[in-house]
Amino acid sequence: MRVPAGLWLCAAALILGACTSLPHKPLIPVPPLQLGSDWKRMGVETPAVTGVPASLQPLKPLQWVRTSYRQLDRRVQVQVFGMPTEASAFEARQKWRSEERSTAFHKSNLFVVCSSETEAMANLLEFTKLVENEWLRGGR
């Protein structure tokens, strides 16, 4: 059975059209219930990207996840922004103005901010390693 060339061309056009219309939305991995041996997740929010901090708005983040982790009386807040590209995540890191008791990094197309009112900077940096290695280990 021979398929007419026009039918192949039509099928190819439909497939290519479907592929180009697929949404490009980075999927931020679900935050684990626990990081390390004793940091417990306290909740997860996925706010609308229209509310991202002003410094990130020009970079057009596609997704935003907020959560916090607790260990006894210690607490760390984590924000992860899914950016359109790895370059925009890198640019977000360059433009971000870290505040006292906060740190930020990017991994692939994800931009991450960790902050805490209870942790010294050395402890906060150790916590960010847990976020990167246990939550975002697969990267994007």
Side-chain angles (χ1 to χ4, degrees), residues 62-75:
L62 301 172
Q63 191 176 15
W64 182 16
V65 171
R66 285 191 302 214
T67 188
S68 62
Y69 284 87
R70 186 176 186 165
Q71 179 190 74
L72 300 174
D73 61 343
R74 302 165 69 191
R75 187 172 173 181

Side-chain angles (χ1 to χ4, degrees), residues 6-132:
L7 189 56
W8 281 113
L9 185 58
C10 184
L14 285 172
I15 291 170
L16 286 174
C19 290
T20 58
S21 67
L22 291 175
H24 180 277
K25 184 172 184 178
L27 296 176
I28 297 172
V30 174
L33 293 173
Q34 182 172 318
L35 287 174
S37 60
D38 46 8
W39 286 97
K40 308 283 188 221
R41 188 181 77 198
M42 300 308 298
V44 178
E45 296 178 289
T46 53
V49 293
T50 54
V52 299
S55 63
L56 296 181
Q57 289 175 357
L59 300 173
K60 299 183 181 0
L62 301 172
Q63 191 176 15
W64 182 16
V65 171
R66 285 191 302 214
T67 188
S68 62
Y69 284 87
R70 186 176 186 165
Q71 179 190 74
L72 300 174
D73 61 343
R74 302 165 69 191
R75 187 172 173 181
V76 178
Q77 295 79 35
V78 183
Q79 298 185 79
V80 182
F81 302 91
M83 306 303 287
T85 64
E86 184 169 356
S88 61
F90 176 78
E91 186 175 349
R93 174 60 194 110
Q94 297 302 308
K95 290 183 174 186
W96 188 260
R97 298 214 184 263
S98 291
E99 299 173 4
E100 188 175 341
R101 297 185 184 253
S102 76
T103 186
F105 69 93
H106 88 282
K107 182 167 184 161
S108 189
N109 65 329
L110 301 177
F111 172 60
V112 182
V113 178
C114 298
S115 57
S116 176
E117 294 179 9
T118 62
E119 295 305 296
M121 192 54 126
N123 294 343
L124 191 55
L125 290 171
E126 286 299 316
F127 181 85
T128 61
K129 288 180 188 175
L130 290 175
V131 170
E132 184 173 7

